[in-house]
């Protein structure tokens, strides 16, 4: 089972609610993914009016856990204020924390992120910080009290997949007791499977499903990929090697002989 703070889930695929062709396709895609946690942008979904009411009606029908995020925030003050508004609106202490440093890459402001996380954790929040794959940043987030860390595979929406495999492996090795979620840059089911094969606890994605030609089918493909990746990790993957190893050994068979 996947555990975030004091709650357990059977699905290891978290999914976003933005960019879908229609609200109904969003709902069908989330069902096909089997996701039990969905992220929502406070700014986008609380604009008010009938559109917002219709959106929340669809979310309630799904019977999922909502993880509000601070998407678009570019300062510590803005992120903290948005998180507090989200807690009042959604009645949850969970927050996906984003503090963005650069408009082109949407790279996290790691200094501001650690500061904001510290403030929110002291105020009773359970923080899911979106960060880079930098070990020092992850360690500081854990020291601040985060029990979940969410490093990117690549920039948001880039679909590049894991671009720094060694760094992600190091994070997993150094933080064995922390829930790690690959967040951002996932573009194909194989990318998600790779993250789970590395021992990551889950992946969070949005664009790869929402922008697919058939979002519902793609969501189902990601569900299978995540399950396969986790099963492979638990089964124990063989180590890569630089030399060949025959799958059918000849030593000890009638066809083997010593060469003098």
């Amino acid at each position: 089972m996947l555990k975030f703070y004091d709650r357990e889930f059977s699905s290891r695929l978290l999914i976003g609610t933005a960019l879908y062709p229609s609200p109904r396709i969003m709902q069908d895609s989330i069902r096909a993914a089997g996701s039990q946690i969905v992220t929502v942008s406070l700014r986008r979904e609380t604009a008010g009016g009938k559109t917002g009411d219709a959106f929340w009606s669809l979310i309630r029908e799904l019977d999922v856990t909502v993880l509000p995020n601070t998407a678009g925030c570019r300062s510590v003050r803005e992120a903290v204020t948005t998180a507090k508004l989200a807690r009042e609106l959604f009645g949850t202490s969970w927050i996906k924390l984003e503090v963005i440093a650069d408009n082109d890459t949407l790279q996290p402001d790691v200094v501001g992120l650690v500061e904001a996380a510290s403030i929110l954790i002291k105020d009773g929040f359970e923080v899911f910080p979106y960060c880079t794959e930098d070990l020092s940043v992850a360690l500081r987030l854990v020291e601040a009290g985060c029990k979940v860390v969410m490093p990117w595979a690549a920039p948001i929406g880039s679909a590049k997949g894991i671009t720094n495999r060694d760094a992600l492996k190091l994070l997993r090795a150094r933080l064995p007791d922390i829930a790690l979620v690959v967040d951002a840059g996932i573009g194909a089911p194989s990318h998600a499977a790779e993250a789970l094969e590395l021992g990551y606890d889950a992946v969070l994605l949005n664009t790869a499903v929402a922008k697919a030609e058939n979002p519902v089918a793609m969501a189902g493909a990601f569900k299978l990929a995540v399950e396969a990746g986790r099963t492979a990790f638990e089964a124990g993957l063989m180590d890569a090697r630089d030399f060949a190893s025959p799958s059918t050994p000849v030593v000890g068979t009638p066809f083997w002989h010593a060469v003098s």
Side-chain angles (χ1 to χ4, degrees), residues 118-258:
S118 299
I119 293 170
L120 292 173
I121 288 169
K122 290 175 182 177
D123 194 28
F125 282 88
E126 294 173 316
V127 178
F128 294 65
Y130 162 63
C131 59
T132 63
E133 72 277 29
D134 187 280
L135 175 61
S136 64
V137 174
L139 291 173
R140 288 183 180 276
L141 289 167
V142 171
E143 289 172 3
C146 294
K147 296 182 180 179
V148 181
V149 176
M150 305 176 74
W152 68 0
I156 294 173
S158 67
K160 290 183 175 181
I162 295 174
T163 58
N164 195 341
R165 180 183 175 91
D166 289 342
L168 290 183
K169 286 179 67 176
L170 180 61
L171 283 182
R172 180 70 286 173
R174 293 291 300 276
L175 299 173
D177 300 321
I178 299 298
L180 295 180
V181 182
V182 170
D183 175 17
I186 297 293
S190 57
H191 300 160
E194 182 181 8
L196 272 291
E197 288 170 0
L198 289 175
Y200 275 68
D201 297 282
V203 296
L204 192 160
L205 54 90
N206 188 170
T207 309
V209 168
K211 289 297 187 179
E213 291 184 14
N214 186 333
V216 178
M218 185 61 75
F222 270 104
K223 178 179 185 292
L224 295 173
V226 167
E227 291 173 353
R230 182 64 185 186
T231 300
F233 171 73
E234 292 177 341
L237 293 160
M238 67 177 290
D239 294 328
R241 59 184 69 186
D242 294 327
F243 51 88
S245 177
S247 58
T248 305
V250 296
V251 176
T253 70
F255 303 100
W256 179 84
H257 62 87

Side-chain angles (χ1 to χ4, degrees), residues 10 57 94 99 101 140 170:
S10 58
S57 177
W94 278 21
V99 184
R140 288 183 180 276
L170 180 61

Side-chain angles (χ1 to χ4, degrees), residues 42-43 69-71 73 77-87 95:
L42 180 69
R43 295 182 175 204
N69 67 41
T70 62
C73 291
R77 180 178 181 180
E78 189 178 15
V80 169
T81 299
T82 301
K84 291 180 178 180
L85 289 173
R87 181 167 60 183
I95 192 73

